[in-house]
Amino acid sequence: MLEQVVTELTQRIQRLRPGPGEPDPVDQLRANLTRVLTYVLAERELTDILLNHSTGFDHELDGKIQDFYDRIAALIKRSLDLGIEMNLVRNSDTRAVSYAILGGVKELIGMLSRSSDTDIESLVEEILQFGLSGVARPELLKFVPPRRETAGDRQPGNLSFFGPKLD
């Protein structure tokens, strides 16, 4: 069952295609998010199992669910890495950011799965705004000091939370 979910999610998340004649990258992200949320909310029973599984009673199932989330985080990480290569995403520790995104999405989906009134279009716009802009007003960002680069930032697989400094 978990394999099917990974397959379904993978099919709904399409690689961004920048360039002439292609939709704007944000529109492509919007379409990906819409497809994923539509699927997850259509499968509320499965969503409930994944989000509300009590750990410790069935170690085999615990491992399978953790593997499922690790695989989803790896998909997010690959997307972030590609976004960095395409100069659409800032340099960051994509492993840490992928789990932060996954945690936020899990909480959002959990909240949505308990709600009968779901406006997917509005939710997609909120997710996009948060993902692309965060929560700070632009004028606040001028007070954020630039991050100093460390030797660990330049090594593959570093686990620093903020990743390499922006140029």
Side-chain angles (χ1 to χ4, degrees):
M1 182 168 66
L2 295 176
E3 282 298 320
Q4 181 181 349
V5 174
V6 171
T7 300
E8 292 286 343
L9 289 174
T10 303
Q11 290 173 349
R12 284 167 172 72
I13 301 170
Q14 298 176 3
R15 182 179 174 152
L16 298 185
R17 303 167 315 277
E22 296 294 345
D24 181 278
V26 174
D27 288 336
Q28 293 178 57
L29 283 170
R30 182 177 289 114
N32 279 341
L33 284 167
T34 300
R35 284 189 296 272
V36 167
L37 285 178
T38 300
Y39 169 71
V40 170
L41 294 175
E43 299 292 334
R44 289 179 192 256
E45 295 83 17
L46 179 59
T47 299
D48 188 51
I49 291 169
L50 289 171
L51 294 176
N52 298 314
H53 165 71
S54 296
T55 59
F57 297 107
D58 183 338
H59 295 295
E60 184 178 345
L61 182 58
D62 293 350
K64 287 180 181 181
I65 290 178
Q66 184 58 53
D67 181 62
F68 167 79
Y69 283 123
D70 289 343
R71 290 173 65 190
I72 298 300
L75 290 172
I76 296 169
K77 181 184 182 315
R78 281 196 294 278
S79 295
L80 292 169
D81 290 337
L82 180 60
I84 290 170
E85 287 177 28
M86 297 167 70
N87 205 29
L88 297 172
V89 174
R90 68 173 173 80
N91 287 332
S92 61
D93 178 344
T94 55
R95 181 174 181 266
V97 172
S98 69
Y99 277 96
I101 291 169
L102 177 59
V105 169
K106 283 171 59 175
E107 287 298 315
L108 175 65
I109 290 171
M111 183 268 304
L112 295 175
S113 70
R114 294 183 298 272
S115 171
S116 59
D117 182 31
T118 306
D119 180 359
I120 291 178
E121 186 177 324
S122 293
L123 290 167
V124 165
E125 293 307 314
E126 279 302 321
I127 293 168
L128 278 174
Q129 284 299 313
F130 180 75
L132 298 174
S133 305
V135 295
R137 294 179 52 87
E139 58 269 19
L140 180 65
L141 295 178
K142 68 183 177 187
F143 297 107
V144 177
R147 186 176 175 283
R148 292 189 347 246
E149 186 173 332
T150 65
D153 291 338
R154 293 183 293 273
Q155 297 175 7
N158 77 70
L159 296 178
S160 67
F161 185 74
F162 294 102
K165 77 172 186 178
L166 299 174
D167 292 329

